[in-house]
Amino acid sequence: MKIHLVSGGCGFVGRNMVKRLFNTTKDNILFIDDLSVGTHPTTWINQPLVEEKNGVQFYGSEKRLQYIETDFREFVMEMAKDASYIKTNYGLAIENFSDVFHFAAIVGGRAKIDGDPLMVARDLSIDAEFFYWITRQKPARVLYPSSSAAYPINLQTESGAIALKESDIDFNDMGQPDMTYGWTKLTGEFLAKIAASHYGIHITCIRPFSGYGEDQDLTYPTPAIARRAALKEDPFEVWGTGKQGRDFVHIDDVLDVTLLAMDKIGDGMAINIGHGKLTSFLELIEVFSEFAGYQPTVKQLLDKPVGVHAVILI
Ligand SMILES: NC(=O)c1ccc[n+]([C@@H]2O[C@H](COP(=O)([O-])OP(=O)(O)OC[C@H]3O[C@@H](n4cnc5c(N)ncnc54)[C@H](O)[C@@H]3O)[C@@H](O)[C@H]2O)c1
């Protein structure tokens, strides 16, 4: 019986991956989250809680879904010290993991990235312990989610934005990534390459662009704009001019590409995941206000942060 590990399993990407693995495999899925941002499994898992033992919650009649609420840093630090930690501490007979998906992170939107950069930089401590642990325990395959924030910001200025290619991240010739979030992700990509080359770990990096989907936290633009349109906000406030665009990609597509990429890539290389189409915030407001059946006046908040600029070539 295979067992997969999902860190940050109660966050947006994590809970979608937990459900995907549960629905498409017969494997066990252990997921960890400290609920600092994530939501408790009972609110989204759609399976009954059948047992609670030694700090593990088991969901579903076959108990294939196993949840531990803890700080993932402590969890991996203990596992790195003692490979039998899960058995002795939680009573789970796990020797090693098949696929490990590392979604535990401090993310947040533009307000957090620009407003509290040293809070976001705590990602470095989560990732440092994670990368150390994978080189001790050597799970079969590892997924590290990077981000478009790893790209040099000088390629994404208002007047000089270019369509970003995988090769625009070149460790031999680097620009500056987007704040501490981008530095963390770029560091993670660098560590992934070392994990593969120095320790023989099968590891894949993904850079999802702007993920969206049902059940996403309201701090993200798509659900926030959808909600405000449903409430018929008028005038409709937008940060900056609203002409800045993002490559929005649905979470189901992110998961499809992630799983495919893990089959094809094992040397730490990163693959971009986007829809390939640039959508401005003004267009997003138009889509949702049309759904809501009204035409609001747009009010630009020019003193708010807008992040990087983008163009896409198709
Ligand atoms: N959502 C996107 O569009 C997107 C785009 C690019 C990259 N990513 C990356 O994917 C990953 C997941 O993103 P997300 O959107 O699901 O974020 P999220 O904030 O919804 O999920 C992160 C989860 O990690 C948990 N967490 C944080 N610190 C923890 C700790 N110390 N121990 C245990 N759990 C902890 C949080 O409670 C939360 O549930 C992140 O690495 C993010 O950078 C996401």
Side-chain angles (χ1 to χ4, degrees), residues 5-24:
L5 175 67
V6 182
S7 78
C10 296
F12 174 58
V13 184
R15 57 184 180 256
N16 277 285
M17 184 57 90
V18 167
K19 286 191 274 190
R20 170 70 71 98
L21 294 171
F22 180 73
N23 291 329
T24 58

Side-chain angles (χ1 to χ4, degrees), residues 60-77:
S61 56
E62 298 165 311
K63 299 193 202 169
R64 286 200 291 122
L65 290 161
Q66 302 163 6
Y67 169 57
I68 298 174
E69 182 180 329
T70 189
D71 188 325
F72 189 59
R73 277 172 295 199
E74 283 170 24
F75 190 75
V76 284
M77 279 162 78

Side-chain angles (χ1 to χ4, degrees), residues 11 26-27 32 47 63-64 94 109 126 134 140 159 206 223 286 289 296 311:
K26 296 269 172 246
D27 307 335
I32 313 288
Q47 292 292 324
K63 299 193 202 169
R64 286 200 291 122
I94 297 173
I126 303 177
I134 59 171
S159 56
I206 51 162
E286 205 179 305
S289 51
V311 296

Side-chain angles (χ1 to χ4, degrees), residues 175-223:
Q176 179 174 319
D178 190 358
M179 293 299 288
T180 53
Y181 183 60
W183 279 104
T184 305
K185 294 302 178 184
L186 191 64
T187 305
E189 289 192 27
F190 189 60
L191 299 184
K193 282 202 186 309
I194 293 178
S197 62
H198 287 50
Y199 299 88
I201 304 292
H202 182 288
I203 182 161
T204 315
C205 294
I206 51 162
R207 297 186 202 118
F209 280 55
S210 294
Y212 72 95
E214 301 75 16
D215 179 29
Q216 190 175 26
D217 190 283
L218 287 171
T219 54
Y220 286 85
T222 308

